[in-house]
Amino acid sequence: MAVPRVFPLSCVVQQYAWGKKGSSSEVARLLASSDPLARISEDKPYAEELAEKLHLQSPQHYPDANHKPEMAIALTSFQALCGFRPVEEIVTFLTKVPEFQFLIGDDATMQLKQSLSQSSQAMATALQTCFSHLMKSEKKVVVEQLNLLVKRISQQVTAGNNVEDICGELLLQLHQQYPGDIGCFAIYFLNLLTLKPGEAMFLEANVPHAYLKGDCVECMASSDNTVRAGLTLKFIDVPTLCEMLNYTPSPSKDRLFAPTRSQEDPYLSLYNPPVPDFTVMKMEVPGSVTEYKILALDSASILLMVQGTATASTSTAQEVIPLHRGRVLFIGANETVSLKLIVLEDLLMFRACCVL
């Protein structure tokens, strides 16, 4: 009897403290749709790729030899911090936010301002000095300055003043979630991005980032290399983090990663990052298309059904495979899968693979 080369996968979800609770979690809802026996506990958090976390990659400091580039594709409006801002923006925040400048210190602040007229290497060095000063600040001092800033912004909001120029609303939100956390000040170092559904950002290894809110599909290289700085309940390794980060500043638009349309399939978009580890394909099939063929690839792949209902059949499968929201399908290399829509509604699928 032939071994099946296309078959559904039984998946589990994690319950990390930073996940969304109960049925507000997209991952929990996908699980419930996929498994009729699954029960969602409304008081428990379900981990998904949208949590408030600042995790950064450092293969040279951790046992796993693989790097950890990753990509996030927005399913809803999706907000994240990603990569260091242009130095001009950071200098502006140092002027407008005295509590932030206090933690950085006068000498490091002056070094950063002077680097604006110097080489890119001098700028990166100055940025590392400033960030390190912040991250190595005493906990007591951080809490004091953060409380002062929260009080000042709260008073301005109550008075009806606009605090957008210092990311006031965001700072209050993060402080409410993580009171006294040094990561709240990261908003003045890192780019703030808001992705629309279908937009993506790619993160090469050692780029600082934090997923703040919204739903996304995330794909990454196989690695356990994670270095955390703040906005997390997990282990924090500040010395490693400050040493290994990529301190090259860039505008937020440089972090956006645009897909390309397939020439073979009008319903397929490819998110093909500049690393060999993975590619993500998004398939949006209109409900008016009753049959759809998933193209064969020269590598194995995993298919996630986010929306729609169909049956899948292959030349090697003895029976059709029911597919609906939350189902995950393993597709072997060089396998073509034919879908037949059961309900005339649009299909939304994501396929992770390695294009050889």
Side-chain angles (χ1 to χ4, degrees):
M1 186 174 179
V3 176
R5 293 176 54 78
V6 178
F7 51 86
L9 298 176
S10 178
C11 301
V12 297
V13 297
Q14 299 294 331
Q15 292 184 330
Y16 296 130
W18 41 256
K20 284 186 176 180
K21 287 189 176 181
S23 55
S24 66
S25 163
E26 176 71 0
V27 161
R29 293 196 299 270
L30 286 171
L31 175 66
S33 297
S34 173
D35 182 0
L37 299 179
R39 295 291 179 266
I40 300 176
S41 299
E42 295 298 331
D43 61 339
K44 291 182 179 180
Y46 291 83
E48 51 197 352
E49 290 73 43
L50 50 82
E52 295 84 354
K53 57 179 180 175
L54 186 62
H55 56 222
L56 308 113
Q57 298 72 32
S58 179
Q60 66 269 38
H61 292 301
Y62 287 79
D64 194 324
N66 196 18
H67 64 166
K68 192 184 177 187
E70 55 190 86
M71 174 183 292
I73 304 171
L75 291 175
T76 64
S77 178
F78 183 78
Q79 191 177 59
L81 299 172
C82 178
F84 284 103
R85 295 174 176 270
V87 170
E88 294 86 351
E89 295 181 15
I90 300 172
V91 168
T92 298
F93 284 127
L94 286 167
T95 302
K96 292 184 176 182
V97 186
E99 298 85 356
F100 177 47
Q101 196 274 337
F102 182 89
L103 295 173
I104 302 303
D106 294 338
D107 291 343
T109 298
M110 182 58 65
Q111 181 184 355
L112 189 65
K113 290 180 179 179
Q114 291 174 345
S115 74
L116 288 170
S117 60
Q118 299 173 350
S119 67
S120 57
Q121 181 57 53
M123 189 176 291
T125 299
L127 185 53
Q128 180 174 4
T129 298
C130 286
F131 187 75
S132 298
H133 273 239
L134 172 67
M135 299 311 300
K136 295 177 181 179
S137 298
E138 292 184 17
K139 174 68 174 179
K140 179 182 178 181
V141 178
V142 171
V143 172
E144 289 174 350
Q145 293 303 312
L146 188 53
N147 287 340
L148 287 173
L149 180 56
V150 168
K151 181 179 179 180
R152 184 163 64 85
I153 292 177
S154 298
Q155 291 173 342
Q156 293 184 32
V157 171
T158 301
N161 297 328
N162 190 324
V163 292
E164 185 177 350
D165 63 331
I166 57 172
C167 303
E169 296 286 355
L170 176 59
L171 185 127
L172 293 180
Q173 292 171 14
L174 293 178
H175 181 262
Q176 184 178 22
Q177 293 171 321
Y178 294 95
D181 195 299
I182 195 170
C184 295
F185 283 105
I187 63 176
Y188 300 126
F189 273 115
L190 306 181
N191 286 302
L192 177 62
L193 283 76
T194 300
L195 304 180
K196 299 175 183 177
E199 290 187 328
M201 63 180 189
F202 172 69
L203 306 152
E204 63 267 25
N206 301 338
V207 171
H209 60 285
Y211 296 162
L212 301 180
K213 61 181 178 180
D215 295 319
C216 79
V217 169
E218 186 183 36
C219 188
M220 64 185 70
S222 178
S223 173
D224 290 326
N225 296 323
T226 301
V227 186
R228 300 172 180 88
L231 304 183
T232 179
L233 301 178
K234 293 187 175 183
F235 175 71
I236 291 175
D237 186 351
V238 171
T240 297
L241 174 123
C242 291
E243 179 184 341
M244 47 66 74
L245 284 184
N246 180 345
Y247 288 97
T248 303
S250 63
S252 58
K253 62 181 179 62
D254 289 356
R255 292 296 168 184
L256 296 177
F257 190 83
T260 58
R261 300 294 298 187
S262 169
Q263 296 181 349
E264 302 176 78
D265 183 345
Y267 309 121
L268 189 149
S269 298
L270 292 93
Y271 298 83
N272 194 17
V275 292
D277 304 79
F278 60 84
T279 293
V280 178
M281 300 178 176
K282 181 180 72 170
M283 289 159 280
E284 295 179 288
V285 183
S288 57
V289 178
T290 57
E291 295 188 6
Y292 176 72
K293 182 172 291 186
I294 298 175
L295 300 177
L297 299 173
D298 54 8
S299 78
S301 60
I302 296 175
L303 180 78
L304 167 65
M305 178 74 82
V306 176
Q307 177 183 310
T309 305
T311 57
S313 60
T314 73
S315 60
T316 59
Q318 294 182 339
E319 299 179 352
V320 297
I321 301 171
L323 284 180
H324 49 79
R325 175 172 159 81
R327 290 302 294 271
V328 179
L329 197 66
F330 175 86
I331 304 175
N334 304 310
E335 285 289 325
T336 300
V337 179
S338 297
L339 300 185
K340 182 174 291 187
L341 276 68
I342 301 301
V343 180
L344 298 183
E345 65 173 336
D346 297 350
L347 300 183
L348 175 60
M349 301 170 287
F350 289 88
R351 186 183 189 185
C353 60
C354 178
V355 178
L356 303 177

